């Protein structure tokens, strides 16, 4: 099997160093740093970053994800303002807020998302905020909080095709994710986005069917990227796709009716989030 090794620009050590210093001082976690995302320096330079709230411990154990599993700590009431300060200090123009799954919390952590949006908008009113949320177990009260949060864009990731979903995300549900996206699309005035990984064993037909399901649910922005195995204990990569495949997916998505499609080997759910 031929393995494609995409090239990325060497990160600016001064930019990364300054960013990490501010994150440490504010006791914050970004998905960019936690995952050592190859795009992080590029995103920082464009004024975009993805913050992970509600701790670094997830109550679920998806087989593709490198976040540790367990019971998290209580929501920190000071976290929203720390994020707001960091957004201002980093000079961000666009902030993506996501979280681990917190099935142990009464509201699944939905109130913390609202508080973060409020704090960021108070400190930096011109900054756009995207919420990349868990499924909140499909609980409508939690979803309604997100819809009314004041965010500029909502997102929830389907991750993979229907057949593989029970294996890849055993504690989640393909149809529940579709219902979350459908709820957002019907009640939220702004754009709704989702993301898929490829290389888990899906066929091209299955991928296109999933894209159709997302479009039918009201998703208008889509990202598609290559799955990369975080460690030997995670689900293995079944296939590495060439860049030409992703270019084809962009074309197919646009033909289907998506307003924006971003696809590539190193594309992740928040990549070029501000431009989609």
């Amino acid at each position: 099997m031929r393995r494609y090794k995409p090239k990325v620009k060497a990160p600016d050590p001064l930019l990364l160093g300054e960013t990490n210093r501010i994150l440490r001082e504010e006791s914050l976690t970004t998905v960019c740093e936690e995952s050592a995302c190859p795009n992080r320096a590029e995103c920082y330079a464009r004024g975009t970053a993805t913050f992970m709230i509600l701790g670094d411990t997830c109550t679920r154990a998806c087989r593709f994800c490198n976040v540790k599993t367990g019971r998290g700590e209580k929501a920190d009431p000071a976290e929203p303002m720390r994020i707001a300060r960091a957004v201002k200090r980093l000079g961000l123009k666009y902030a993506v807020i996501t979280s681990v799954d917190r099935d142990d919390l009464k509201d699944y952590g939905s109130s913390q998302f609202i508080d973060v949006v409020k704090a960021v908008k108070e400190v930096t009113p011109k900054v756009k905020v995207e919420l990349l949320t868990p499924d909140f177990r499909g609980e409508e009260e939690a979803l309604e909080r997100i819809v009314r949060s004041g965010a500029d864009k909502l997102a929830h990731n389907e991750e993979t095709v229907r057949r593989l979903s029970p294996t890849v995300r055993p504690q989640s549900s393909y149809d529940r994710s579709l219902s979350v996206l459908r709820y957002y699309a019907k009640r939220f005035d702004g754009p709704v986005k989702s993301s898929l990984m490829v290389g888990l064993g899906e066929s091209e037909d299955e991928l296109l069917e999933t894209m159709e399901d997302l479009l039918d649910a009201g998703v208008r922005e889509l990202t598609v990227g290559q799955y990369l195995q975080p460690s030997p204990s995670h689900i293995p990569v079944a296939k590495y796709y060439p860049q030409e495949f992703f270019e084809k997916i962009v074309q197919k998505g646009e033909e289907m009716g998506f307003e924006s499609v971003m696809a590539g080997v190193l594309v992740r759910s928040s990549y070029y989030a501000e431009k989609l």
Side-chain angles (χ1 to χ4, degrees):
M1 178 186 295
R2 182 182 176 188
R3 297 196 174 190
Y4 294 85
K5 297 181 178 180
K7 296 180 180 179
V8 295
K9 294 180 181 179
D12 180 344
L14 294 178
L15 176 61
L16 292 184
E18 176 64 10
T19 300
N20 287 331
R21 181 182 68 81
I22 292 173
L23 293 174
R24 286 195 303 271
E25 289 176 357
E26 299 292 352
S27 301
L28 294 175
T29 299
T30 64
V31 174
C32 322
E33 296 301 326
E34 285 293 302
S35 63
C37 178
N39 307 313
R40 65 193 187 280
E42 180 186 356
C43 293
Y44 292 159
R46 292 199 320 272
T48 302
T50 301
F51 295 91
M52 186 165 70
I53 64 174
L54 294 168
D56 61 357
T57 304
C58 186
T59 52
R60 302 185 193 178
C62 296
R63 294 189 61 204
F64 67 88
C65 183
N66 201 36
V67 175
K68 63 184 178 181
T69 302
R71 186 180 180 88
E73 298 179 357
K74 292 182 178 180
D76 181 357
E79 181 178 57
M81 188 51 64
R82 293 203 311 273
I83 289 178
R85 286 198 304 264
V87 167
K88 183 175 182 178
R89 293 176 68 187
L90 291 168
L92 299 184
K93 301 174 183 176
Y94 195 96
V96 181
I97 311 299
T98 190
S99 80
V100 291
D101 282 287
R102 291 301 305 268
D103 297 329
D104 57 325
L105 296 178
K106 185 176 181 180
D107 68 349
Y108 305 102
S110 57
S111 296
Q112 192 79 340
F113 278 91
I114 296 174
D115 292 342
V116 171
V117 175
K118 181 179 179 181
V120 171
K121 294 289 187 178
E122 285 180 351
V123 175
T124 51
K126 293 184 179 180
V127 170
K128 302 293 185 182
V129 179
E130 174 181 325
L131 299 185
L132 172 57
T133 75
D135 62 21
F136 302 121
R137 292 286 182 187
E139 168 41 63
E140 286 199 5
E141 287 186 12
L143 298 178
E144 189 62 25
R145 290 189 189 99
I146 299 301
V147 167
R148 297 180 180 276
S149 65
D152 299 283
K153 183 187 296 186
L154 299 183
H156 171 69
N157 292 343
E158 184 63 78
E159 307 291 13
T160 189
V161 302
R162 182 183 293 276
R163 176 176 59 86
L164 297 176
S165 190
T167 300
V168 175
R169 306 189 304 160
Q171 293 162 287
S172 300
S173 163
Y174 182 92
D175 286 314
R176 185 164 65 209
S177 286
L178 285 180
S179 70
V180 168
L181 291 163
R182 190 174 294 110
Y183 191 98
Y184 287 165
K186 286 183 177 180
R187 292 167 173 80
F188 179 63
D189 291 335
V192 175
K193 185 177 78 173
S194 193
S195 183
L196 296 169
M197 300 176 291
V198 295
L200 290 160
E202 69 290 325
S203 68
E204 185 174 331
D205 284 344
E206 286 178 313
L207 179 59
L208 295 176
E209 288 172 5
T210 299
M211 290 168 63
E212 290 282 8
D213 285 344
L214 292 173
L215 192 64
D216 290 344
V219 173
R220 290 297 175 264
E221 299 182 0
L222 178 68
T223 67
V224 182
Q226 172 70 52
Y227 166 66
L228 299 174
Q229 185 180 19
S231 77
S233 64
H234 290 81
I235 192 168
V237 177
K239 182 176 181 178
Y240 290 92
Y241 289 92
Q243 182 59 32
E244 292 76 12
F245 171 82
F246 294 101
E247 292 169 1
K248 178 181 178 182
I249 291 302
V250 170
Q251 181 181 350
K252 291 284 189 181
E254 291 174 346
E255 290 172 353
M256 285 180 184
F258 285 100
E259 293 176 4
S260 300
V261 183
M262 183 76 68
V265 177
L266 293 178
V267 168
R268 299 297 179 258
S269 59
S270 298
Y271 189 51
Y272 273 94
E274 80 285 3
K275 289 186 178 294
L276 275 172

